[in-house]
Amino acid sequence: MFPSCYSKPTSSKDLFKRTYLTKILLGVFIVYMSHTCWVIYGFVYTKPCERGKGDCISSYLAERPRLQLSIFSSLKPDHSELNLIIKIDDFDIHSKFERVVNVSLPLATRNNGTLHTLVYVHKFGVSPLQDNQQVHHVAQLSTYMMSRGNLSSAKEVLKKHAATAPPVVDRPISHWRSRLTLNMMSEDFTFNRGTLPSDVRRYMRVFQDENRMVYLPLLHIDELSVRVKDMMEINGSTTKLPLTISYEGLSLRQFRFWIYMQDVMFSLKRFGFTEVNIDEIKGVLVDNNLYLLALTTLVTAFHFIFEFLAFKNDISFWRKKKNMVGMSRKTVLWRCFSTIVILLKMLEERSSLLVLIPVGIGTTIEVWKVKKVSKIQLQWRTSRSIVHVGKFDESERKTTQHDTQAMKCLSYLVYPLSISGAIFSLVYLRYKSYYSWLINSLVSGIYAFGFLSMAPQLFINFKLKSVGHLQWNVLMYKAVNTFVNDAFACVFSTHPSHQLGCFRDEILFLLYLYQRRLYSTNKTRCREFGSCHHNHRKLKAQ
């Protein structure tokens, strides 16, 4: 009785094999979180040096010397040709201020040259060039970037430039850094020479004062506050530009934390991240407080593990899938097409390999799923390959009819809007080539109507009055990530289209949940993908 529904009970050995990868992933996640907590603990607590135990390095600021802050501009990053920008007498390291000054631009800088700033903290009334206990740092006031006109928003400016001007060859030109943020560790802390943190050691200058070691003030120029929206293009007619100089004292833990984050930004450049990508990350770091940033790190870790679990379960589901009853082939084909177009778009934009590799892997998986759902088999002979297309049974053909009917109804809405949008962009916008216009038009259509690709599956569920053929563990993992994306879209400044896309996905997921409740699992029949419940096994035994 019920011979087609019988399935062999899962042995403990098979169950161990299926959960082995999950256990490894859980272990890696625990190790990662432990390492993150250890790094955070290192920022929060640095053991001070106890008097009489070990080699102690005391602070030069403990004696409360009279200091002076002097900021110069120079064409060279050395002590030659210095031009004074601002001088602050009786500089208080615990103060907080912001001042706007006008900086004269040399002719070389106006002709696409580079201008540097040299920041000195030295003894009051003594020239910084004659003070052997001064500390200084050098930073660029001008940097080379692609010409973007008004840089209030790099992405919007690129679209505006494409719409109002013919394509030209971009060349880097000098842009003015309108903000200069200075920090100094104002905390009186005594370090142990043997356990001196490596990040602090890079900023430390030590001298011998009789029988004790003393370190000079720890000065730091904040590069994270330099945003693309604050950059100003330098032209040949500009003789002066405003510079906002701000200062704030930091504790040791704050000083170490910002040094670490600044090193991360420089590492991202080596991995191929563009200036616009790094600027978005800077916005997350600078525009939000540290507690929200710590929460972001924790949530990102969980986001990663849920994404990986969804990826792993999706592959496992399709690898074991033999019967395609209830599965929408049109949805799988649409996802495959969408990922290929997005990959081509990223290749055109020369995105970072850290972004391209995951998208490329996802595209390969989607192509493989199209092969599975279409029952295509490749057989290699001696000199050629033979393609075999499997046949569909009656239940699968019925599913295909429902799928075609749903997609036909959607085509009346999607195709006219997509084609009209593509024609509009071709007439009123300018692109580098017809290929660029085609890719951008397809990407716009995918982001606008991509969520509708899940509608045929909802229609098939409605016709079959069942949801047993769906992979609910994958849907749950992706739903959690969607809710996380919604939370981030509300907290952080993201594009309105991205926020709308997240909420649209949530609406469709809620419809899936409603269907699961409406079409509750029938305990007296098999599910579409071939497994049976324990009731069938009891009936078979009887």
Side-chain angles (χ1 to χ4, degrees), residues 236-256:
S237 61
T238 305
T239 58
K240 288 186 178 182
L241 282 174
L243 177 65
T244 302
I245 301 175
S246 59
Y247 168 80
E248 183 179 5
L250 300 177
S251 64
L252 175 60
R253 64 186 64 175
Q254 291 175 322
F255 185 82
R256 294 189 61 192

mmCIF file with all atom_site columns, all heavy atoms in Angstrom, residues 236-256:
data_model
loop_
_atom_site.group_PDB
_atom_site.id
_atom_site.type_symbol
_atom_site.label_atom_id
_atom_site.label_alt_id
_atom_site.label_comp_id
_atom_site.label_asym_id
_atom_site.label_entity_id
_atom_site.label_seq_id
_atom_site.pdbx_PDB_ins_code
_atom_site.Cartn_x
_atom_site.Cartn_y
_atom_site.Cartn_z
_atom_site.occupancy
_atom_site.B_iso_or_equiv
_atom_site.pdbx_formal_charge
_atom_site.auth_seq_id
_atom_site.auth_comp_id
_atom_site.auth_asym_id
_atom_site.auth_atom_id
_atom_site.pdbx_PDB_model_num
ATOM 1   N N   . GLY A 1 236 ? 41.906 76.709 -12.360 1.00 0.00 ? 236 GLY A N   1
ATOM 2   C CA  . GLY A 1 236 ? 43.019 77.638 -12.482 1.00 0.00 ? 236 GLY A CA  1
ATOM 3   C C   . GLY A 1 236 ? 42.742 79.033 -11.988 1.00 0.00 ? 236 GLY A C   1
ATOM 4   O O   . GLY A 1 236 ? 43.674 79.781 -11.669 1.00 0.00 ? 236 GLY A O   1
ATOM 5   N N   . SER A 1 237 ? 41.472 79.433 -11.894 1.00 0.00 ? 237 SER A N   1
ATOM 6   C CA  . SER A 1 237 ? 41.139 80.794 -11.469 1.00 0.00 ? 237 SER A CA  1
ATOM 7   C C   . SER A 1 237 ? 40.949 80.941 -9.967  1.00 0.00 ? 237 SER A C   1
ATOM 8   O O   . SER A 1 237 ? 40.770 82.048 -9.469  1.00 0.00 ? 237 SER A O   1
ATOM 9   C CB  . SER A 1 237 ? 39.863 81.247 -12.191 1.00 0.00 ? 237 SER A CB  1
ATOM 10  O OG  . SER A 1 237 ? 38.765 80.396 -11.857 1.00 0.00 ? 237 SER A OG  1
ATOM 11  N N   . THR A 1 238 ? 40.982 79.855 -9.230  1.00 0.00 ? 238 THR A N   1
ATOM 12  C CA  . THR A 1 238 ? 40.757 79.903 -7.781  1.00 0.00 ? 238 THR A CA  1
ATOM 13  C C   . THR A 1 238 ? 42.073 80.202 -7.075  1.00 0.00 ? 238 THR A C   1
ATOM 14  O O   . THR A 1 238 ? 43.047 79.461 -7.233  1.00 0.00 ? 238 THR A O   1
ATOM 15  C CB  . THR A 1 238 ? 40.182 78.576 -7.272  1.00 0.00 ? 238 THR A CB  1
ATOM 16  O OG1 . THR A 1 238 ? 38.995 78.260 -7.999  1.00 0.00 ? 238 THR A OG1 1
ATOM 17  C CG2 . THR A 1 238 ? 39.854 78.666 -5.788  1.00 0.00 ? 238 THR A CG2 1
ATOM 18  N N   . THR A 1 239 ? 42.100 81.265 -6.281  1.00 0.00 ? 239 THR A N   1
ATOM 19  C CA  . THR A 1 239 ? 43.313 81.631 -5.540  1.00 0.00 ? 239 THR A CA  1
ATOM 20  C C   . THR A 1 239 ? 43.239 81.244 -4.072  1.00 0.00 ? 239 THR A C   1
ATOM 21  O O   . THR A 1 239 ? 44.279 81.036 -3.432  1.00 0.00 ? 239 THR A O   1
ATOM 22  C CB  . THR A 1 239 ? 43.566 83.139 -5.649  1.00 0.00 ? 239 THR A CB  1
ATOM 23  O OG1 . THR A 1 239 ? 42.422 83.852 -5.139  1.00 0.00 ? 239 THR A OG1 1
ATOM 24  C CG2 . THR A 1 239 ? 43.810 83.542 -7.099  1.00 0.00 ? 239 THR A CG2 1
ATOM 25  N N   . LYS A 1 240 ? 42.026 81.142 -3.506  1.00 0.00 ? 240 LYS A N   1
ATOM 26  C CA  . LYS A 1 240 ? 41.856 80.764 -2.109  1.00 0.00 ? 240 LYS A CA  1
ATOM 27  C C   . LYS A 1 240 ? 40.676 79.816 -1.977  1.00 0.00 ? 240 LYS A C   1
ATOM 28  O O   . LYS A 1 240 ? 39.688 79.927 -2.712  1.00 0.00 ? 240 LYS A O   1
ATOM 29  C CB  . LYS A 1 240 ? 41.639 81.994 -1.223  1.00 0.00 ? 240 LYS A CB  1
ATOM 30  C CG  . LYS A 1 240 ? 42.870 82.848 -1.023  1.00 0.00 ? 240 LYS A CG  1
ATOM 31  C CD  . LYS A 1 240 ? 42.596 83.957 -0.004  1.00 0.00 ? 240 LYS A CD  1
ATOM 32  C CE  . LYS A 1 240 ? 43.844 84.788 0.253   1.00 0.00 ? 240 LYS A CE  1
ATOM 33  N NZ  . LYS A 1 240 ? 43.606 85.837 1.266   1.00 0.00 ? 240 LYS A NZ  1
ATOM 34  N N   . LEU A 1 241 ? 40.795 78.893 -1.024  1.00 0.00 ? 241 LEU A N   1
ATOM 35  C CA  . LEU A 1 241 ? 39.705 77.961 -0.740  1.00 0.00 ? 241 LEU A CA  1
ATOM 36  C C   . LEU A 1 241 ? 39.546 77.811 0.767   1.00 0.00 ? 241 LEU A C   1
ATOM 37  O O   . LEU A 1 241 ? 40.539 77.864 1.517   1.00 0.00 ? 241 LEU A O   1
ATOM 38  C CB  . LEU A 1 241 ? 39.980 76.592 -1.379  1.00 0.00 ? 241 LEU A CB  1
ATOM 39  C CG  . LEU A 1 241 ? 39.725 76.475 -2.882  1.00 0.00 ? 241 LEU A CG  1
ATOM 40  C CD1 . LEU A 1 241 ? 40.168 75.119 -3.391  1.00 0.00 ? 241 LEU A CD1 1
ATOM 41  C CD2 . LEU A 1 241 ? 38.268 76.729 -3.235  1.00 0.00 ? 241 LEU A CD2 1
ATOM 42  N N   . PRO A 1 242 ? 38.307 77.613 1.256   1.00 0.00 ? 242 PRO A N   1
ATOM 43  C CA  . PRO A 1 242 ? 38.097 77.478 2.705   1.00 0.00 ? 242 PRO A CA  1
ATOM 44  C C   . PRO A 1 242 ? 38.531 76.100 3.205   1.00 0.00 ? 242 PRO A C   1
ATOM 45  O O   . PRO A 1 242 ? 38.402 75.087 2.508   1.00 0.00 ? 242 PRO A O   1
ATOM 46  C CB  . PRO A 1 242 ? 36.598 77.678 2.858   1.00 0.00 ? 242 PRO A CB  1
ATOM 47  C CG  . PRO A 1 242 ? 36.017 77.238 1.551   1.00 0.00 ? 242 PRO A CG  1
ATOM 48  C CD  . PRO A 1 242 ? 37.036 77.597 0.510   1.00 0.00 ? 242 PRO A CD  1
ATOM 49  N N   . LEU A 1 243 ? 39.020 76.085 4.424   1.00 0.00 ? 243 LEU A N   1
ATOM 50  C CA  . LEU A 1 243 ? 39.429 74.846 5.092   1.00 0.00 ? 243 LEU A CA  1
ATOM 51  C C   . LEU A 1 243 ? 38.882 74.862 6.510   1.00 0.00 ? 243 LEU A C   1
ATOM 52  O O   . LEU A 1 243 ? 39.180 75.778 7.286   1.00 0.00 ? 243 LEU A O   1
ATOM 53  C CB  . LEU A 1 243 ? 40.951 74.717 5.110   1.00 0.00 ? 243 LEU A CB  1
ATOM 54  C CG  . LEU A 1 243 ? 41.512 73.495 5.852   1.00 0.00 ? 243 LEU A CG  1
ATOM 55  C CD1 . LEU A 1 243 ? 41.105 72.209 5.146   1.00 0.00 ? 243 LEU A CD1 1
ATOM 56  C CD2 . LEU A 1 243 ? 43.031 73.576 5.959   1.00 0.00 ? 243 LEU A CD2 1
ATOM 57  N N   . THR A 1 244 ? 38.062 73.875 6.843   1.00 0.00 ? 244 THR A N   1
ATOM 58  C CA  . THR A 1 244 ? 37.496 73.750 8.186   1.00 0.00 ? 244 THR A CA  1
ATOM 59  C C   . THR A 1 244 ? 38.418 72.880 9.027   1.00 0.00 ? 244 THR A C   1
ATOM 60  O O   . THR A 1 244 ? 38.612 71.699 8.735   1.00 0.00 ? 244 THR A O   1
ATOM 61  C CB  . THR A 1 244 ? 36.091 73.135 8.134   1.00 0.00 ? 244 THR A CB  1
ATOM 62  O OG1 . THR A 1 244 ? 35.251 73.943 7.303   1.00 0.00 ? 244 THR A OG1 1
ATOM 63  C CG2 . THR A 1 244 ? 35.492 73.046 9.526   1.00 0.00 ? 244 THR A CG2 1
ATOM 64  N N   . ILE A 1 245 ? 38.998 73.477 10.067  1.00 0.00 ? 245 ILE A N   1
ATOM 65  C CA  . ILE A 1 245 ? 39.925 72.769 10.955  1.00 0.00 ? 245 ILE A CA  1
ATOM 66  C C   . ILE A 1 245 ? 39.216 72.502 12.266  1.00 0.00 ? 245 ILE A C   1
ATOM 67  O O   . ILE A 1 245 ? 38.710 73.426 12.919  1.00 0.00 ? 245 ILE A O   1
ATOM 68  C CB  . ILE A 1 245 ? 41.200 73.602 11.194  1.00 0.00 ? 245 ILE A CB  1
ATOM 69  C CG1 . ILE A 1 245 ? 41.898 73.896 9.862   1.00 0.00 ? 245 ILE A CG1 1
ATOM 70  C CG2 . ILE A 1 245 ? 42.149 72.875 12.142  1.00 0.00 ? 245 ILE A CG2 1
ATOM 71  C CD1 . ILE A 1 245 ? 43.086 74.818 9.993   1.00 0.00 ? 245 ILE A CD1 1
ATOM 72  N N   . SER A 1 246 ? 39.155 71.249 12.649  1.00 0.00 ? 246 SER A N   1
ATOM 73  C CA  . SER A 1 246 ? 38.508 70.871 13.907  1.00 0.00 ? 246 SER A CA  1
ATOM 74  C C   . SER A 1 246 ? 39.451 70.002 14.724  1.00 0.00 ? 246 SER A C   1
ATOM 75  O O   . SER A 1 246 ? 40.299 69.291 14.177  1.00 0.00 ? 246 SER A O   1
ATOM 76  C CB  . SER A 1 246 ? 37.200 70.121 13.639  1.00 0.00 ? 246 SER A CB  1
ATOM 77  O OG  . SER A 1 246 ? 37.444 68.954 12.873  1.00 0.00 ? 246 SER A OG  1
ATOM 78  N N   . TYR A 1 247 ? 39.299 70.085 16.048  1.00 0.00 ? 247 TYR A N   1
ATOM 79  C CA  . TYR A 1 247 ? 40.142 69.297 16.958  1.00 0.00 ? 247 TYR A CA  1
ATOM 80  C C   . TYR A 1 247 ? 39.279 68.761 18.088  1.00 0.00 ? 247 TYR A C   1
ATOM 81  O O   . TYR A 1 247 ? 38.342 69.420 18.562  1.00 0.00 ? 247 TYR A O   1
ATOM 82  C CB  . TYR A 1 247 ? 41.270 70.154 17.539  1.00 0.00 ? 247 TYR A CB  1
ATOM 83  C CG  . TYR A 1 247 ? 41.980 69.462 18.697  1.00 0.00 ? 247 TYR A CG  1
ATOM 84  C CD1 . TYR A 1 247 ? 42.945 68.491 18.463  1.00 0.00 ? 247 TYR A CD1 1
ATOM 85  C CD2 . TYR A 1 247 ? 41.627 69.764 20.011  1.00 0.00 ? 247 TYR A CD2 1
ATOM 86  C CE1 . TYR A 1 247 ? 43.565 67.847 19.519  1.00 0.00 ? 247 TYR A CE1 1
ATOM 87  C CE2 . TYR A 1 247 ? 42.245 69.120 21.070  1.00 0.00 ? 247 TYR A CE2 1
ATOM 88  C CZ  . TYR A 1 247 ? 43.202 68.154 20.813  1.00 0.00 ? 247 TYR A CZ  1
ATOM 89  O OH  . TYR A 1 247 ? 43.810 67.496 21.853  1.00 0.00 ? 247 TYR A OH  1
ATOM 90  N N   . GLU A 1 248 ? 39.647 67.538 18.520  1.00 0.00 ? 248 GLU A N   1
ATOM 91  C CA  . GLU A 1 248 ? 38.988 66.928 19.676  1.00 0.00 ? 248 GLU A CA  1
ATOM 92  C C   . GLU A 1 248 ? 39.950 65.939 20.315  1.00 0.00 ? 248 GLU A C   1
ATOM 93  O O   . GLU A 1 248 ? 40.608 65.161 19.625  1.00 0.00 ? 248 GLU A O   1
ATOM 94  C CB  . GLU A 1 248 ? 37.709 66.211 19.264  1.00 0.00 ? 248 GLU A CB  1
ATOM 95  C CG  . GLU A 1 248 ? 36.942 65.610 20.434  1.00 0.00 ? 248 GLU A CG  1
ATOM 96  C CD  . GLU A 1 248 ? 35.663 64.925 20.004  1.00 0.00 ? 248 GLU A CD  1
ATOM 97  O OE1 . GLU A 1 248 ? 35.427 64.844 18.783  1.00 0.00 ? 248 GLU A OE1 1
ATOM 98  O OE2 . GLU A 1 248 ? 34.909 64.474 20.888  1.00 0.00 ? 248 GLU A OE2 1
ATOM 99  N N   . GLY A 1 249 ? 40.056 66.015 21.652  1.00 0.00 ? 249 GLY A N   1
ATOM 100 C CA  . GLY A 1 249 ? 40.888 65.061 22.384  1.00 0.00 ? 249 GLY A CA  1
ATOM 101 C C   . GLY A 1 249 ? 40.210 63.718 22.501  1.00 0.00 ? 249 GLY A C   1
ATOM 102 O O   . GLY A 1 249 ? 38.976 63.625 22.590  1.00 0.00 ? 249 GLY A O   1
ATOM 103 N N   . LEU A 1 250 ? 41.008 62.656 22.503  1.00 0.00 ? 250 LEU A N   1
ATOM 104 C CA  . LEU A 1 250 ? 40.492 61.296 22.561  1.00 0.00 ? 250 LEU A CA  1
ATOM 105 C C   . LEU A 1 250 ? 41.092 60.546 23.735  1.00 0.00 ? 250 LEU A C   1
ATOM 106 O O   . LEU A 1 250 ? 42.221 60.823 24.158  1.00 0.00 ? 250 LEU A O   1
ATOM 107 C CB  . LEU A 1 250 ? 40.804 60.540 21.262  1.00 0.00 ? 250 LEU A CB  1
ATOM 108 C CG  . LEU A 1 250 ? 40.255 61.096 19.955  1.00 0.00 ? 250 LEU A CG  1
ATOM 109 C CD1 . LEU A 1 250 ? 40.745 60.243 18.791  1.00 0.00 ? 250 LEU A CD1 1
ATOM 110 C CD2 . LEU A 1 250 ? 38.740 61.158 19.967  1.00 0.00 ? 250 LEU A CD2 1
ATOM 111 N N   . SER A 1 251 ? 40.331 59.580 24.223  1.00 0.00 ? 251 SER A N   1
ATOM 112 C CA  . SER A 1 251 ? 40.878 58.645 25.201  1.00 0.00 ? 251 SER A CA  1
ATOM 113 C C   . SER A 1 251 ? 41.732 57.607 24.476  1.00 0.00 ? 251 SER A C   1
ATOM 114 O O   . SER A 1 251 ? 41.740 57.537 23.246  1.00 0.00 ? 251 SER A O   1
ATOM 115 C CB  . SER A 1 251 ? 39.753 57.973 25.979  1.00 0.00 ? 251 SER A CB  1
ATOM 116 O OG  . SER A 1 251 ? 38.954 57.185 25.108  1.00 0.00 ? 251 SER A OG  1
ATOM 117 N N   . LEU A 1 252 ? 42.423 56.779 25.224  1.00 0.00 ? 252 LEU A N   1
ATOM 118 C CA  . LEU A 1 252 ? 43.285 55.775 24.608  1.00 0.00 ? 252 LEU A CA  1
ATOM 119 C C   . LEU A 1 252 ? 42.477 54.786 23.791  1.00 0.00 ? 252 LEU A C   1
ATOM 120 O O   . LEU A 1 252 ? 42.856 54.439 22.661  1.00 0.00 ? 252 LEU A O   1
ATOM 121 C CB  . LEU A 1 252 ? 44.094 55.050 25.692  1.00 0.00 ? 252 LEU A CB  1
ATOM 122 C CG  . LEU A 1 252 ? 44.960 53.872 25.200  1.00 0.00 ? 252 LEU A CG  1
ATOM 123 C CD1 . LEU A 1 252 ? 45.971 54.335 24.172  1.00 0.00 ? 252 LEU A CD1 1
ATOM 124 C CD2 . LEU A 1 252 ? 45.645 53.184 26.375  1.00 0.00 ? 252 LEU A CD2 1
ATOM 125 N N   . ARG A 1 253 ? 41.353 54.317 24.305  1.00 0.00 ? 253 ARG A N   1
ATOM 126 C CA  . ARG A 1 253 ? 40.560 53.330 23.572  1.00 0.00 ? 253 ARG A CA  1
ATOM 127 C C   . ARG A 1 253 ? 39.984 53.935 22.291  1.00 0.00 ? 253 ARG A C   1
ATOM 128 O O   . ARG A 1 253 ? 39.923 53.259 21.259  1.00 0.00 ? 253 ARG A O   1
ATOM 129 C CB  . ARG A 1 253 ? 39.463 52.774 24.471  1.00 0.00 ? 253 ARG A CB  1
ATOM 130 C CG  . ARG A 1 253 ? 38.431 53.778 24.928  1.00 0.00 ? 253 ARG A CG  1
ATOM 131 C CD  . ARG A 1 253 ? 37.462 53.183 25.920  1.00 0.00 ? 253 ARG A CD  1
ATOM 132 N NE  . ARG A 1 253 ? 38.147 52.780 27.142  1.00 0.00 ? 253 ARG A NE  1
ATOM 133 C CZ  . ARG A 1 253 ? 37.510 52.324 28.218  1.00 0.00 ? 253 ARG A CZ  1
ATOM 134 N NH1 . ARG A 1 253 ? 36.198 52.192 28.194  1.00 0.00 ? 253 ARG A NH1 1
ATOM 135 N NH2 . ARG A 1 253 ? 38.182 51.988 29.290  1.00 0.00 ? 253 ARG A NH2 1
ATOM 136 N N   . GLN A 1 254 ? 39.559 55.208 22.354  1.00 0.00 ? 254 GLN A N   1
ATOM 137 C CA  . GLN A 1 254 ? 39.071 55.857 21.134  1.00 0.00 ? 254 GLN A CA  1
ATOM 138 C C   . GLN A 1 254 ? 40.195 56.047 20.126  1.00 0.00 ? 254 GLN A C   1
ATOM 139 O O   . GLN A 1 254 ? 40.011 55.826 18.915  1.00 0.00 ? 254 GLN A O   1
ATOM 140 C CB  . GLN A 1 254 ? 38.448 57.212 21.478  1.00 0.00 ? 254 GLN A CB  1
ATOM 141 C CG  . GLN A 1 254 ? 37.153 57.122 22.252  1.00 0.00 ? 254 GLN A CG  1
ATOM 142 C CD  . GLN A 1 254 ? 36.657 58.489 22.674  1.00 0.00 ? 254 GLN A CD  1
ATOM 143 O OE1 . GLN A 1 254 ? 37.449 59.368 23.037  1.00 0.00 ? 254 GLN A OE1 1
ATOM 144 N NE2 . GLN A 1 254 ? 35.353 58.687 22.638  1.00 0.00 ? 254 GLN A NE2 1
ATOM 145 N N   . PHE A 1 255 ? 41.362 56.431 20.602  1.00 0.00 ? 255 PHE A N   1
ATOM 146 C CA  . PHE A 1 255 ? 42.505 56.639 19.720  1.00 0.00 ? 255 PHE A CA  1
ATOM 147 C C   . PHE A 1 255 ? 42.871 55.346 18.996  1.00 0.00 ? 255 PHE A C   1
ATOM 148 O O   . PHE A 1 255 ? 43.070 55.329 17.776  1.00 0.00 ? 255 PHE A O   1
ATOM 149 C CB  . PHE A 1 255 ? 43.686 57.149 20.561  1.00 0.00 ? 255 PHE A CB  1
ATOM 150 C CG  . PHE A 1 255 ? 44.894 57.522 19.760  1.00 0.00 ? 255 PHE A CG  1
ATOM 151 C CD1 . PHE A 1 255 ? 44.988 58.750 19.140  1.00 0.00 ? 255 PHE A CD1 1
ATOM 152 C CD2 . PHE A 1 255 ? 45.955 56.630 19.627  1.00 0.00 ? 255 PHE A CD2 1
ATOM 153 C CE1 . PHE A 1 255 ? 46.106 59.091 18.396  1.00 0.00 ? 255 PHE A CE1 1
ATOM 154 C CE2 . PHE A 1 255 ? 47.071 56.959 18.886  1.00 0.00 ? 255 PHE A CE2 1
ATOM 155 C CZ  . PHE A 1 255 ? 47.143 58.196 18.270  1.00 0.00 ? 255 PHE A CZ  1
ATOM 156 N N   . ARG A 1 256 ? 42.924 54.247 19.707  1.00 0.00 ? 256 ARG A N   1
ATOM 157 C CA  . ARG A 1 256 ? 43.280 52.966 19.094  1.00 0.00 ? 256 ARG A CA  1
ATOM 158 C C   . ARG A 1 256 ? 42.195 52.497 18.133  1.00 0.00 ? 256 ARG A C   1
ATOM 159 O O   . ARG A 1 256 ? 42.498 51.909 17.079  1.00 0.00 ? 256 ARG A O   1
ATOM 160 C CB  . ARG A 1 256 ? 43.507 51.918 20.181  1.00 0.00 ? 256 ARG A CB  1
ATOM 161 C CG  . ARG A 1 256 ? 44.703 52.177 21.081  1.00 0.00 ? 256 ARG A CG  1
ATOM 162 C CD  . ARG A 1 256 ? 44.966 50.992 21.972  1.00 0.00 ? 256 ARG A CD  1
ATOM 163 N NE  . ARG A 1 256 ? 45.260 49.810 21.186  1.00 0.00 ? 256 ARG A NE  1
ATOM 164 C CZ  . ARG A 1 256 ? 45.298 48.578 21.687  1.00 0.00 ? 256 ARG A CZ  1
ATOM 165 N NH1 . ARG A 1 256 ? 45.041 48.374 22.970  1.00 0.00 ? 256 ARG A NH1 1
ATOM 166 N NH2 . ARG A 1 256 ? 45.568 47.553 20.910  1.00 0.00 ? 256 ARG A NH2 1
#
